[in-house]
Coordinates of all heavy atoms in Angstrom, one line a residue:
R1 N 6.0 24.5 -16.1 CA 5.9 25.7 -16.9 C 4.7 26.7 -16.5 O 4.4 27.6 -17.2 CB 5.7 25.3 -18.4 CG 6.9 24.5 -19.0 CD 6.6 24.2 -20.4 NE 7.8 23.6 -21.0 CZ 8.8 24.3 -21.7 NH1 8.7 25.6 -21.7 NH2 9.8 23.7 -22.2
L8 N -5.0 22.7 -26.2 CA -4.2 22.4 -27.3 C -3.9 20.8 -27.6 O -3.9 20.4 -28.7 CB -2.8 23.1 -27.3 CG -1.9 23.0 -28.5 CD1 -2.5 23.9 -29.6 CD2 -0.5 23.5 -28.2
S49 N -9.7 16.8 -8.1 CA -10.4 15.6 -8.5 C -9.6 14.8 -9.5 O -8.8 15.4 -10.3 CB -11.7 15.9 -9.1 OG -12.3 14.7 -9.6
N87 N -1.8 13.5 -1.2 CA -3.0 14.3 -1.6 C -3.8 14.6 -0.2 O -3.2 14.5 0.8 CB -3.9 13.5 -2.6 CG -3.4 13.8 -4.0 OD1 -3.7 14.9 -4.6 ND2 -2.5 13.0 -4.5
E90 N -9.3 11.1 2.6 CA -9.6 10.8 3.9 C -10.3 9.4 3.9 O -10.2 8.6 4.9 CB -10.6 11.8 4.5 CG -9.9 13.1 4.8 CD -10.8 14.1 5.5 OE1 -11.8 13.7 6.0 OE2 -10.4 15.2 5.6
H99 N -14.7 -1.4 -12.4 CA -14.0 -0.8 -13.5 C -12.5 -1.1 -13.3 O -11.8 -1.3 -14.3 CB -14.2 0.6 -13.6 CG -15.6 1.0 -14.0 ND1 -16.5 1.3 -13.0 CD2 -16.1 1.1 -15.2 CE1 -17.7 1.6 -13.6 NE2 -17.4 1.4 -14.9
L103 N -6.1 -3.3 -11.7 CA -5.1 -2.6 -10.8 C -4.3 -3.5 -9.9 O -4.9 -4.3 -9.2 CB -6.0 -1.6 -9.9 CG -5.2 -0.6 -9.2 CD1 -4.6 0.4 -10.2 CD2 -6.0 0.2 -8.3
L106 N -1.3 0.2 -6.0 CA -1.9 1.3 -5.5 C -1.0 2.1 -4.4 O -0.6 1.5 -3.4 CB -3.2 1.0 -4.9 CG -4.1 2.2 -4.4 CD1 -4.4 3.2 -5.5 CD2 -5.5 1.5 -3.9
K114 N -8.0 7.0 7.5 CA -8.2 6.5 8.8 C -8.4 4.9 8.9 O -8.2 4.4 9.9 CB -9.4 7.2 9.5 CG -9.1 8.6 9.7 CD -10.2 9.2 10.6 CE -10.0 10.7 10.9 NZ -10.4 11.6 9.9
R152 N 3.7 1.9 7.3 CA 4.6 2.6 8.2 C 4.0 3.9 8.6 O 3.2 4.5 7.8 CB 6.0 2.8 7.5 CG 7.0 3.6 8.3 CD 8.3 3.9 7.6 NE 9.2 4.7 8.2 CZ 10.4 5.0 7.9 NH1 11.0 4.3 6.8 NH2 11.1 5.7 8.6
S165 N -7.0 -15.6 4.3 CA -7.3 -15.5 2.8 C -6.1 -14.7 2.2 O -6.1 -14.7 1.0 CB -8.6 -14.9 2.6 OG -8.7 -13.6 3.0
G178 N 2.0 1.9 17.0 CA 1.9 1.9 18.4 C 1.6 0.5 19.0 O 0.9 0.2 20.0
L197 N 9.1 -8.9 7.7 CA 8.3 -8.1 8.6 C 9.2 -6.9 9.1 O 10.3 -7.2 9.6 CB 7.8 -8.9 9.8 CG 7.0 -8.1 10.9 CD1 5.7 -7.6 10.3 CD2 6.7 -9.2 12.0
L212 N 13.8 -12.5 19.2 CA 13.6 -13.9 19.5 C 12.0 -14.0 19.8 O 11.5 -15.0 19.4 CB 14.4 -14.4 20.7 CG 15.9 -14.4 20.4 CD1 16.7 -14.8 21.7 CD2 16.2 -15.4 19.3
E246 N 5.0 -25.3 26.9 CA 5.0 -26.1 28.2 C 4.2 -25.3 29.2 O 3.4 -26.0 30.0 CB 6.4 -26.3 28.6 CG 7.1 -27.3 27.8 CD 6.6 -28.7 27.8 OE1 6.2 -29.2 28.8 OE2 6.6 -29.4 26.7

Side-chain angles (χ1 to χ4, degrees):
R1 293 180 173 273
L8 185 73
S49 170
N87 276 279
E90 293 185 14
H99 295 90
L103 195 63
L106 180 56
K114 294 188 174 83
R152 178 178 175 171
S165 65
L197 175 65
L212 295 177
E246 290 297 322

